[in-house]
Amino acid sequence: MMKDIAVELERDERKEMVKELEDGVVQLLAASDDCMHLSEAIQSIGDEIEPGPEPTNFKKKFDEEIAKSKARSSSHAQNQSLLRQFREAIWHVHHAGQPLPGDEQEDIVMTSTQCNLLNVTCPLSGKPVTELAEPVRSMDCKHIYEKKTIMQYLKSKTSRGQCPVAGCPKILKAQRVLCDPFLLIEIDELMSTSKQNRPDAIEDFTVLDDED
């Protein structure tokens, strides 16, 4: 992962390369947003457009649909959280336990422990998202599922396509349930956090020390 590489570079005091990598993360997040909005616009136009006597102004339609996608998107907050985690990891290499410059300690704790994932278990299989073979996420409601299970669910006649998460009113479309660019990164972050918070983590190190 880019964060792990940046941490190693920071330990080696290679500041310029760390900055270049951070700039790359910012560009990657922005490009991912652009691709997501464009994909949603293409899908929306494909579902709605119908042949007519007058030629369609596709540029205008694309601009309108992209604007709608951006208006309903929650990706900005999600991306800011990912970027914050990246910067925190670098900062803590030489400033462990200290807040980022300009931030209060309470804010750091809340942001660092926040999970970006809307659900941590698949509502159909009951498996934790960290154990899913092919995790996918709805582009509409942001809930996460096992790919094989959710696709079987959507094909069934009884589901009506509604999200299986209790209380979620969204109607799912198979082509809008996918593994987006940051889902695997967020799941990996959840796994790392879970390992750090395990109560038996210290005990494992103690056992190793005793054996040495």
Side-chain angles (χ1 to χ4, degrees):
M1 286 180 56
M2 297 177 74
K3 185 178 72 174
D4 296 329
I5 296 173
V7 167
E8 291 301 320
L9 292 173
E10 180 70 13
R11 286 173 179 157
D12 293 339
E13 301 290 344
R14 302 170 75 175
K15 303 291 186 181
E16 292 184 4
M17 295 190 69
V18 172
K19 184 61 172 64
E20 290 179 4
L21 197 56
E22 180 177 332
D23 292 342
V25 169
V26 173
Q27 294 174 11
L28 180 61
L29 291 171
S32 174
D33 268 1
D34 291 341
C35 289
M36 181 186 68
H37 297 316
L38 181 58
S39 175
E40 290 190 1
I42 292 173
Q43 183 62 51
S44 180
I45 292 174
D47 291 341
E48 298 175 4
I49 201 70
E50 293 182 1
E54 298 295 328
T56 301
N57 188 338
F58 282 102
K59 183 181 186 307
K60 180 181 179 181
K61 289 289 294 181
F62 269 119
D63 291 342
E64 291 174 350
E65 292 302 326
I66 288 174
K68 291 178 184 178
S69 176
K70 289 182 178 180
R72 63 174 178 261
S73 174
S74 61
S75 63
H76 177 73
Q78 178 182 348
N79 290 351
Q80 287 301 310
S81 179
L82 288 171
L83 182 59
R84 175 65 172 268
Q85 292 172 18
F86 179 88
R87 289 171 173 165
E88 281 183 340
I90 296 171
W91 173 256
H92 289 159
V93 170
H94 299 300
H95 307 85
Q98 300 179 29
L100 285 169
D103 289 326
E104 297 295 332
Q105 184 65 34
E106 182 178 356
D107 294 334
I108 290 291
V109 171
M110 291 177 63
T111 306
S112 299
T113 58
Q114 182 180 7
C115 177
N116 295 320
L117 302 177
L118 200 56
N119 58 296
V120 294
T121 59
C122 173
L124 294 172
S125 67
K127 293 181 180 179
V129 296
T130 54
E131 297 179 9
L132 300 182
E134 290 185 271
V136 290
R137 176 158 52 189
S138 165
M139 295 176 65
D140 298 308
C141 63
K142 305 302 181 183
H143 286 124
I144 302 164
Y145 327 91
E146 175 73 77
K147 182 177 180 179
K148 181 179 180 180
T149 309
I150 189 64
M151 291 306 164
Q152 291 176 342
Y153 171 81
L154 293 178
K155 291 178 182 178
S156 68
K157 296 181 180 179
T158 58
S159 72
R160 295 181 299 172
Q162 185 170 340
C163 175
V165 173
C168 182
K170 292 292 185 179
I171 301 299
L172 304 180
K173 295 182 179 180
Q175 63 269 28
R176 293 176 60 79
V177 179
L178 44 81
C179 185
D180 62 66
F182 295 106
L183 178 55
L184 297 182
I185 296 177
E186 293 172 41
I187 290 177
D188 188 64
E189 291 286 349
L190 177 61
M191 293 176 65
S192 298
T193 302
S194 299
K195 289 179 180 179
Q196 292 173 4
N197 294 334
R198 280 189 316 172
D200 61 338
I202 296 178
E203 296 178 8
D204 289 343
F205 286 114
T206 303
V207 171
L208 289 174
D209 289 341
D210 291 341
E211 292 177 353
D212 291 341

